[in-house]
Amino acid sequence: MTGFPILSLMLAVPAVAAVAALFASAGAARTIALVATLIDLALGLDLWANYQIGGPQWQFVEHAQLFSGFSWALGIDGIALVLIVLSVFLMPICIGASWDAIEKRVPEYMAAFLFMETLMIGVFAAQDLFLFYILFEAGLIPMYLIIGIWGGADRIYASYKFFLYTLLGSVLMLIAMLWIVNLTGTTSIPVLMEYNFPVQAQYLLWLAFFASFAVKMPMWPVHTWLPDAHVQAPTAGSVILAGVLLKMGGYGFIRFSLPFFPEASAYFAPLVWGLSIVAVVYTSLVALVQSDMKKLIAYSSVAHMAIVTLGLFAFNRQGLEGSMVVMLAHGLVSGALFLCVGVIYDRLHTREISRYGGLAINMPYYALFFMFFTMASVGLPATANFVGEFLSLQGIYKASSWTALIAGTGIILGAAYMLYLYRRVAFGEQKNADAAAMPDLTVREYLLLTPLVIATLWMGIYPESFIAPIRADIAHLDARLAAARPAGDAQVTPGHPVAETHESAEHNGEGSEK
């Protein structure tokens, strides 16, 4: 699909606004950031409205050769579409969440968020291998600054840990990309997705890409940067980190690891399953004993992302579609939970669970919103997570019934730590006078949380809106993986006829005579 360069415009709007915000006053910078993100949201909705379901695989394609071996190549399929829409949906909410909370260096803060929006959209829209890598890695910089400048007391440690973990994993991916381009003579991602790499080479290439995407997800045991980053990041930083940046790892698996290296993906699938089921159980148990609300939700994110990797490497359509829905649902629900933490943190300036209690008495509307997102995180039917987890577990069961059984315990443990958190915050006796005196939601906070409620219910009640754009692309990927698909242990097998007994033969004979 060609014509108006809407993708380039979506990249340009926040980039230009970021530069403008740097030279504006604090109040003007906030307004510029909000207007720019709302414009990109409108462009994203236009992108969704004009996307042709059942049309060409790659739409809104733009291509301009910049110099030898590098081109400005943009385009989206349904998978990229829904992740871009998620990104532009969350960004105005992040700006609104920062409206009063950020008081120092406001122009620089807003510019960092706007640059990050440009880079996130670019990652999902890039069709050139090196363009993808540059945008993928550049996204570290604004997030590093957001944590390091506007974060909590241990922000320097958390920001360095975040930066080093994610950067070191990507060095191996760059080396693999250079080898791929040298072998194939092209940097076009759509072309490479159909290229049949030598099987022996696939194993090392897969591991090189895995080193980067596993850290981004993050998978156990390279997940330890995430709780620190979430705890120290400002509220909006946690929302965008959980909502979008973690999804870049899953997107990388779908866009590169699985279609580029199907045989290697099948070979290493047991490794991914093993790491993921450890993550589901271990991080859920760790979440259960946390005293910091943000850290608890951060560990829950690791458990939810483990369901994603299990579904992706189940090698069937239900698992792949379920993983995509879980990523979208987690982006909404986890982002909303961090917003709920931010609401009470702005009032009391502590995330310690023990400092709260009985908030349903003096903050009933807050307690209602918090309850809704708690139940959505648990996977209550008619909410977004239920659809994704049901599809994912169905796909995982087809691949390995034992893996599905262990992964299913994550839902039980998820209910345990989320409901335990809610009971300690919203119910019980009000032991702290300062918490008991906190006012309920403001109009701005209503405006931030309500769109997330609507989106979560919409995805839970009518998931077809979000599955329809990705269905053809998932089917195409599933066909690409078919030859390498490992045999599952839960496939239906034909049985053998039961031998007819003497009594049943006599009965049948009597029946026929009658």
Side-chain angles (χ1 to χ4, degrees), residues 102-419:
I102 302 300
E103 298 175 345
K104 66 175 185 178
R105 297 187 178 182
V106 175
E108 291 89 345
Y109 178 89
M110 295 300 168
F113 259 93
L114 290 166
F115 275 126
M116 191 170 4
E117 181 170 28
T118 294
L119 297 169
M120 291 187 308
I121 296 170
V123 164
F124 298 132
Q127 290 199 316
D128 181 272
L129 202 60
F130 291 137
L131 179 62
F132 168 84
Y133 182 82
I134 291 169
L135 296 170
F136 186 77
E137 291 307 306
L140 294 175
I141 299 171
M143 195 66 214
Y144 167 78
L145 295 174
I146 288 167
I147 297 172
I149 297 174
W150 294 278
D154 294 326
R155 59 187 181 275
I156 302 300
Y157 168 77
S159 59
Y160 271 104
K161 190 174 183 181
F162 162 75
F163 190 86
L164 292 175
Y165 262 72
T166 49
L167 179 64
L168 290 174
S170 297
V171 172
L172 293 174
M173 183 172 73
L174 176 61
I175 296 171
M177 285 180 171
L178 292 170
W179 191 91
I180 287 171
V181 173
N182 184 61
L183 173 70
T184 62
T186 181
T187 59
S188 171
I189 293 174
V191 172
L192 291 169
M193 287 174 68
E194 305 298 330
Y195 187 87
N196 294 317
F197 289 89
V199 175
Q200 293 305 315
Q202 285 190 26
Y203 301 117
L204 287 176
L205 293 172
W206 188 93
L207 288 171
F209 278 80
F210 179 75
S212 177
F213 300 146
V215 173
K216 282 278 189 181
M217 280 298 286
M219 294 181 66
W220 182 89
V222 290
H223 68 287
T224 57
W225 62 269
L226 183 70
D228 292 318
H230 269 311
V231 167
Q232 299 305 320
T235 298
S238 291
V239 172
I240 210 66
L241 179 60
V244 181
L245 295 185
L246 298 189
K247 311 305 176 286
M248 290 183 181
Y251 178 76
F253 283 129
I254 292 174
R255 184 64 78 229
F256 298 97
S257 299
L258 291 169
F260 280 30
F261 322 118
E263 287 83 5
S265 296
Y267 179 81
F268 287 111
L271 169 66
V272 176
W273 293 346
L275 296 178
S276 299
I277 60 177
V278 169
V280 167
V281 178
Y282 168 72
T283 57
S284 295
L285 292 173
V286 172
L288 200 56
V289 298
Q290 294 305 311
S291 60
D292 185 298
M293 284 186 282
K294 265 195 170 184
K295 191 167 279 191
L296 187 151
I297 299 169
Y299 277 110
S300 80
S301 292
V302 180
H304 280 103
M305 290 298 100
I307 298 293
V308 172
T309 47
L310 284 170
L312 292 178
F313 285 85
F315 280 76
N316 53 59
R317 289 182 63 174
Q318 291 96 332
L320 292 167
E321 287 183 358
S323 294
M324 278 300 304
V325 176
V326 170
M327 283 200 286
L328 295 174
H330 178 265
L332 297 172
V333 175
S334 184
L337 286 171
F338 280 116
L339 276 179
C340 288
V341 174
V343 166
I344 53 178
Y345 178 81
D346 289 343
R347 288 160 169 76
L348 206 58
H349 299 290
T350 179
R351 292 179 299 270
E352 288 297 316
I353 299 171
S354 60
R355 291 285 288 110
Y356 298 96
L359 293 188
I361 298 172
N362 58 305
M363 300 179 70
Y365 291 108
Y366 169 79
L368 181 63
F369 276 102
F370 193 15
M371 170 60 85
F372 174 82
F373 292 117
T374 297
M375 300 309 293
S377 178
V378 169
L380 186 73
T383 62
N385 268 8
F386 172 78
V387 178
E389 289 176 356
F390 183 87
L391 274 174
S392 295
L393 288 173
Q394 186 180 19
I396 296 165
Y397 180 79
K398 289 180 68 175
S400 171
S401 55
W402 282 105
T403 301
L405 178 64
I406 299 172
T409 63
I411 298 175
I412 300 169
L413 292 171
Y417 60 70
M418 287 307 301
L419 293 175

Side-chain angles (χ1 to χ4, degrees), residues 5-60:
I6 187 172
L7 293 174
S8 290
L9 181 61
M10 290 182 72
L11 297 177
V13 167
V16 172
V19 175
L22 282 173
F23 299 96
S25 64
R30 293 186 180 99
T31 304
I32 290 170
L34 182 60
V35 171
T37 53
L38 288 173
I39 290 172
D40 249 20
L41 174 58
L43 291 171
L45 295 176
D46 182 69
L47 197 71
W48 193 4
N50 289 291
Y51 183 82
Q52 297 177 8
I53 297 174
Q57 181 181 8
W58 302 102
Q59 301 181 30
F60 305 99

